[in-house]
Amino acid sequence: MHAIALWRRLLAEFAGTALLVTAVVGSGIMAATLSPDDVGLQLLENSVATAFALGALILTFGPVSGAHFNPVVSAADWFLGRRARTGLTATDLAGYTVAQVAGAIGGSILANLMFDLDAVTFSHKDRSAGHLWLGEVVATTGLLLLIFALARSGRSAVAPAGVGAYIGAAYWFTSSTSFANPAVTIGRAFTDTFAGIAPASVPGFVVAQLVGLLAGVGLLLALYPRPRGNPDRQEEPKKAVEIR
């Protein structure tokens, strides 16, 4: 049973996800403004800002909610902890997911308003292609494996740096630029800017992320079948985690 009230954890997930998407979208807008003729430089500026913001947000909200900011992370936490009842409950999972999606949409709207754009400008950037979906499977699988490998091996303290570094790198080594997060994917449909994704492209990305969830949990259980410290107790160490 969690010592922190559910409403506090939901508020942390809402605010953390909102600020994460604000960082992703806002840095994308700024990058396009500062480097209008260099897409590579725009991606560099966007990825660096996102990686640093993510690490800072995990440090800020991790002690309250675990700093998931991502429905697939929350789903994995529920699945891996259900036997020993150490992870999220089904009610927690539903609440986290709603808070994360709402926060992501709010974060996109906030970024639009900060840069004097309409509050909602649905993206026209088509991202529907098999190679992009494969990139999302890879990005999500790697993210989950990293997060829960750190938790199960007693290294959660380095999660802010590790997760931020992974997302920053995955911008570059995945074809999709590593959304790896259904809530953030939905939120980014609400901005027609550098970081946007067309609403029609969202379902394909979310399905790919769910495939990554299954692959990531499967690999984790093969490589780290039990948390360190007690081989007979399936318990996840307290973690501070997310994603983009």
Side-chain angles (χ1 to χ4, degrees), residues 101-124:
V101 172
I105 294 171
S108 196
I109 292 172
L110 178 59
N112 286 337
L113 292 175
M114 281 201 304
F115 287 90
D116 199 26
L117 302 174
D118 291 339
V120 175
T121 52
F122 288 109
S123 177
H124 293 88

Side-chain angles (χ1 to χ4, degrees), residues 20 46-56 160-161 163-169 171 244:
L20 175 59
N46 189 207
S47 63
V48 169
T50 299
F52 279 110
L54 179 55
V163 174
Y166 177 83
I167 290 299
Y171 259 89
R244 188 178 169 227

Side-chain angles (χ1 to χ4, degrees), residues 92-105:
D92 291 344
L93 175 58
Y96 269 49
T97 300
V98 171
Q100 290 155 357
V101 172
I105 294 171

